[in-house]
Amino acid sequence: MKVAPEITYRNVDKTNALDNLVNEKVGKLEQVCSHISSCHIAIEKIHERPRSGSPYRVRIDMTVPPGHELVAESNPTDDNQYAPVEAVIRDAFKAAVTQLKKLNEKQQESDKSQTHTDAEETTALVTKLFREDGYGFIRALDGQEIYFHRNSVLNSDFDRIELGTGVRFSMVMGEEGPQASTVQIVDKPGANAGKSEQTLIEPPLGY
């Protein structure tokens, strides 16, 4: 995840325990899907004294190249009355992990069903960028890092590319191995997910 997750608390006091829990769960998301382009997490108390259910709600909005938008939400009803905020957070992230696993399976099945040619088109995430030198590297869904040159970027869009940008490309064999051609931007970091009102905790270490 090249763009730090955006996390907001609404009517919920931030504590070190909640901070550590959220950071731990964000790390779990990355283990399932390493090319998430944006992640917005809202933790809120929607009722002070509900007649039933939990007063808390947690919503996780994610975007995954080439433009998938995933939403996972936990708002316990009568079956789980007065569930603490920690339990609601765990449930929301559990739902998010399930959605990411299903998306991974669909993408892998789609890749397998494609006709393999010398210039097979696929999707990837920009992981390294050397703007002044005019080249960078993208990581495909299978984890392979592939070189690309600014001249391979369609519509002269090289200067619009950032770390975390989702792209579609065709892979060809160059003199020094595989490289990307006809690179096309399909998903800018954080472009599709809704924005939270205020970021109140720092991103986890390593972001």
Side-chain angles (χ1 to χ4, degrees):
M1 193 183 304
K2 293 301 180 181
V3 178
E6 185 175 347
I7 308 167
T8 62
Y9 288 89
R10 301 189 184 110
N11 300 319
V12 176
D13 292 331
K14 172 194 166 186
T15 65
N16 289 335
L18 289 181
D19 190 8
N20 293 335
L21 176 61
V22 171
N23 290 341
E24 173 192 342
K25 296 302 181 182
V26 168
K28 296 288 185 182
L29 294 183
E30 275 212 291
Q31 292 177 14
V32 176
C33 181
S34 61
H35 50 283
I36 300 172
S37 54
S38 71
C39 181
H40 303 274
I41 304 159
I43 303 169
E44 58 185 339
K45 178 184 283 188
I46 55 178
H47 299 292
E48 191 62 37
R49 293 186 178 86
R51 294 182 179 179
S52 62
S54 173
Y56 302 105
R57 178 173 61 193
V58 176
R59 178 185 169 105
I60 304 171
D61 293 82
M62 299 171 289
T63 56
V64 178
H68 300 284
E69 298 184 32
L70 305 179
V71 177
E73 188 174 43
S74 178
N75 181 21
T77 56
D78 298 354
D79 295 335
N80 196 357
Q81 192 169 9
Y82 303 118
V85 64
E86 292 86 355
V88 183
I89 290 172
R90 291 188 181 94
D91 286 346
F93 275 96
K94 183 178 180 179
V97 166
T98 298
Q99 291 198 35
L100 287 174
K101 286 182 177 179
K102 289 181 179 180
L103 178 61
N104 281 344
E105 291 174 357
K106 289 181 180 179
Q107 289 179 328
Q108 290 172 3
E109 290 174 359
S110 176
D111 287 345
K112 290 179 181 178
S113 65
Q114 290 179 357
T115 301
H116 292 278
T117 62
D118 290 338
E120 180 180 345
E121 188 175 84
T122 185
T123 56
L125 196 70
V126 176
T127 55
K128 296 178 183 177
L129 188 63
F130 304 92
R131 196 179 301 279
E132 293 184 358
D133 296 322
Y135 72 95
F137 290 86
I138 54 183
R139 184 169 60 201
L141 298 179
D142 61 3
Q144 182 180 14
E145 280 203 328
I146 303 168
Y147 167 89
F148 74 97
H149 190 271
R150 69 177 303 133
N151 293 339
S152 298
V153 182
L154 298 180
N155 304 316
S156 301
D157 277 346
F158 180 80
D159 291 333
R160 294 183 57 230
I161 290 178
E162 306 170 10
L163 291 179
T165 297
V167 297
R168 183 181 293 113
F169 72 100
S170 296
M171 188 169 67
V172 297
M173 293 301 297
E175 295 181 358
E176 299 183 5
Q179 65 184 47
S181 69
T182 58
V183 178
Q184 180 182 11
I185 295 174
V186 294
D187 187 31
K188 295 283 284 183
N192 294 326
K195 297 298 184 181
S196 300
E197 296 177 359
Q198 184 179 10
T199 302
L200 298 179
I201 72 173
E202 296 78 16
L205 293 175
Y207 281 81

